[in-house]
Amino acid sequence: MTAVPQPRTDAEPADAPAPAPAAAARGARRSLALALLAGAAGAGLALLASGRVWARGSAQLAQGSLPRSVTGADVTGVPGALAVVGLAALVALFAVRRAGRIAVAALLTLSGAGIATAAVLGISDTSALREKAATAVGLTDAGVHHVTHTGWPWVAAAGGALLLLAGLLALVYGRHWPAMSGRYERTPGGARGPRRAPAPPDLDRPEEIWKSLDRGEDPTR
């Protein structure tokens, strides 16, 4: 006896497309936006903090005390220099692919780590302040009294941490981010792509006919 096939009921679930590609695309966009915001903010904070006062003190003179102050650039030039490097690396992420993107992301990560380290080491550093006091007094071993430190080194350290975060995001998710358009790149053989043939001249316009004759072309072909 032949079995009669049962009709499919509406209760049976239909095959639905997997949402993995859409979720991956959303994750890539979010990580890209977060990396851009963190990198730009981190570089900006590091550059801003480098130009602010990090420490104040007084150099002792016979007539009294002479107040002195030093900026972040006086204490260490590392945060400002690495902030520029990190900002350039953040922009270069979209001009390279594959191994190049990994290398640039590593440079961005190292820039952030270097900024944070240099800023933390400069929090209690008084060598630049003593040097300024010695220059003002005219003595190589001039002392500095009433030394106070500001919060700007911590701001520079926070900027370095943000750049570090941007670099880590680029290392983990950078392979999913878009790159610059390759329509201006050369072909693999080194030559440019084929050029389009010029449009045929309009025989109703005498100037087009004369231009074709000047180029040695036959406008009637």
Side-chain angles (χ1 to χ4, degrees):
M1 184 175 184
T2 305
V4 178
Q6 297 295 327
R8 181 173 176 172
T9 61
D10 295 337
E12 297 179 0
D15 294 334
R26 286 194 300 269
R29 287 195 297 267
R30 290 172 183 171
S31 62
L32 173 59
L34 181 58
L36 287 175
L37 290 175
L45 287 176
L47 288 173
L48 176 64
S50 296
R52 301 296 179 176
V53 174
W54 282 24
R56 294 184 178 91
S58 300
Q60 293 300 118
L61 298 174
Q63 297 83 4
S65 60
L66 181 64
R68 298 279 88 183
S69 63
V70 289
T71 64
D74 296 328
V75 175
T76 173
V78 172
L82 289 183
V84 176
V85 174
L87 196 59
L90 187 66
V91 176
L93 280 174
F94 303 97
V96 293
R97 297 181 177 88
R98 299 182 182 90
R101 178 166 290 182
I102 295 175
V104 174
L107 177 61
L108 180 60
T109 305
L110 292 176
S111 298
I115 291 173
T117 303
V120 171
L121 292 176
I123 290 174
S124 58
D125 188 1
T126 59
S127 58
L129 195 59
R130 289 197 304 269
E131 183 179 350
K132 273 204 170 185
T135 302
V137 176
L139 300 174
T140 56
D141 57 348
V144 182
H145 304 276
H146 309 295
V147 177
T148 58
H149 298 276
T150 67
W152 286 108
W154 293 107
V155 175
L162 288 174
L163 275 173
L164 176 62
L165 173 62
L168 292 176
L169 287 172
L171 285 174
V172 177
Y173 301 102
R175 64 183 182 276
H176 302 298
W177 295 350
M180 293 176 62
S181 175
R183 61 178 177 176
Y184 298 107
E185 295 180 356
R186 292 179 178 271
T187 57
R192 296 185 181 275
R195 299 178 60 184
R196 293 186 302 176
D202 187 359
L203 299 181
D204 294 333
R205 301 178 62 184
E207 63 272 15
E208 294 292 335
I209 299 177
W210 285 111
K211 288 180 181 179
S212 298
L213 293 175
D214 290 339
R215 292 194 299 266
E217 300 174 356
D218 184 1
T220 60
R221 286 191 302 174

